[in-house]
Amino acid sequence: MRHLLEIDDLSAEEMAAVLKLSAPSAAPRVLEGLGMGLVFEKPSARTRNSMEMAVVQLGGHPMYIQGSEVGMDTRESVEDVTRTLACYHAAIGARVFAHSTVERMAAVDIVPVVNMLSDQAHPLQALADLLTIETVFGSLAGRTIAYVGDANNVTRSLALAAGMAGMTMRVGAPPGYQFDQVDLDRIAATGLDLVVTDRPEAAVEGADVIYADVWTSMGQEAETEQRLRDFEGFAVTADLLSHAAPDVAFLHCLPAHRGEEVTDEVVDGAASHVWLQAENRMHAARGLLAWLMQENS
């Protein structure tokens, strides 16, 4: 049984196949008459809408399930919740706090499990990011992504995907918010040319893409004031954008905290492709589900 818990669960060739299946013209009805259970421990606008519509476009029926409705490890074990949902659905998606939850779901190995976000990974976002870059520039290989901010789950998945696509990446993050050695070793295995710096200007110099994310993610609210102090000087502004390539593309996985990690001028500016990126969450999810269902048929 093939699952997607992190982007490197795919090979580089398989990731390319998923991106190809993400074209609107490539929507095989692989979920015709079937359901997909979508479990949300953490709420989301883009993830819910993109996943539900991706399932519909593949002929299936999406079922939105709040985490409290199934009570993983409170009402029932994660494993028993997974077995129950597999009685009704051809696939399961889960947006969870702990990455170990999706690992346990996948270990049951009855139906494909898709990680819709965990504290360690966001592979669906990485697929949408690559699809957006490919749409804007026409190709991926040789492009340079500059990520400015916390080296979090989004950054980790993006770095793995960038390496698999033959790209270069620079991460500008304060000390204490950079990749640890385990992450660096895993990323290095993809062949990614990665530079980590605590100077945002050095990270973005000549970059094709500048990427930002919120400094305080869901579940980290108690750290907000400390993080605002630690990330001072790391906002993506028009001035920072000027250090990048002339045709730089700005990306953000959203929601954006305008006035913190990015200014209105950048989000709403000519370099911004954040709404195309948001739309591509749906296309990338559809491509991934089409590939997964075909692989597991």
Side-chain angles (χ1 to χ4, degrees):
M1 184 65 62
R2 295 297 301 271
H3 309 278
L4 185 75
L5 307 188
E6 177 54 293
I7 194 67
D8 59 353
D9 287 341
L10 304 171
S11 67
E13 294 75 19
E14 289 170 340
M15 185 178 75
V18 168
L19 292 175
K20 191 171 183 179
L21 279 170
S22 301
S25 58
R29 306 283 285 184
V30 293
L31 287 172
E32 192 75 55
L34 301 174
M36 182 170 184
L38 305 174
V39 182
F40 283 78
E41 288 187 335
K42 302 174 74 172
S44 173
R46 278 152 293 277
T47 299
R48 179 178 178 180
N49 282 276
S50 62
M51 288 298 292
E52 288 197 5
M53 289 308 303
V55 172
V56 168
Q57 289 166 3
L58 295 173
H61 179 82
M63 179 72 72
Y64 173 77
I65 306 164
Q66 292 183 340
S68 59
E69 293 179 90
V70 289
M72 293 191 288
D73 282 342
T74 55
R75 294 183 67 239
E76 289 185 277
S77 69
V78 168
E79 290 78 10
D80 283 356
V81 169
T82 305
R83 293 182 184 103
T84 298
L85 295 179
C87 292
Y88 317 116
H89 300 292
I92 300 170
R95 182 177 171 91
V96 299
F97 286 97
H99 191 73
S100 59
T101 300
V102 289
E103 291 178 326
R104 290 168 61 190
M105 296 178 84
V108 175
D109 214 33
I110 301 177
V111 296
V113 173
V114 176
N115 178 9
M116 301 191 299
L117 176 138
S118 68
D119 59 351
Q120 293 295 310
H122 201 351
L124 291 173
Q125 182 65 57
L127 287 170
D129 297 340
L130 292 197
L131 186 60
T132 304
I133 295 167
E134 190 173 51
T135 301
V136 172
F137 292 105
S139 63
L140 295 172
R143 297 288 175 185
T144 298
I145 304 173
Y147 183 98
V148 181
D150 187 8
N152 57 15
N153 50 358
V154 170
T155 329
R156 188 178 297 109
S157 295
L158 180 60
L160 292 168
M164 293 161 63
M167 305 175 76
T168 297
M169 188 163 173
R170 307 189 202 121
V171 175
Y177 296 93
Q178 300 175 358
F179 289 128
D180 62 22
Q181 193 58 51
V182 173
D183 289 331
L184 291 172
D185 291 344
R186 186 172 183 178
I187 292 165
T190 69
L192 178 66
D193 180 1
L194 174 67
V195 173
V196 180
T197 176
D198 59 4
R199 296 180 54 240
E201 295 82 3
V204 306
E205 189 65 40
D208 300 297
V209 178
I210 295 180
Y211 198 117
D213 190 7
V214 295
W215 293 338
T216 305
S217 297
M218 198 180 303
Q220 298 174 332
E221 289 81 3
E223 304 172 22
T224 299
E225 291 188 12
Q226 182 64 53
R227 284 173 171 266
L228 288 175
R229 289 191 293 269
D230 292 343
F231 282 97
E232 187 175 353
F234 282 81
V236 179
T237 62
D239 180 65
L240 188 65
L241 219 63
S242 71
H243 293 268
D247 60 345
V248 64
F250 174 74
L251 301 182
H252 193 302
C253 55
L254 302 178
H257 292 174
R258 293 166 178 255
E260 290 184 12
E261 78 277 358
V262 64
T263 61
D264 287 343
E265 186 179 11
V266 172
V267 174
D268 299 326
S272 178
H273 297 278
V274 299
W275 305 116
L276 171 63
Q277 185 185 8
E279 178 185 336
N280 279 338
R281 288 289 306 276
M282 175 179 66
H283 301 311
R286 187 182 62 244
L288 182 277
L289 292 176
W291 183 87
L292 264 183
M293 297 308 296
Q294 290 171 349
E295 282 292 303
N296 288 309
S297 63

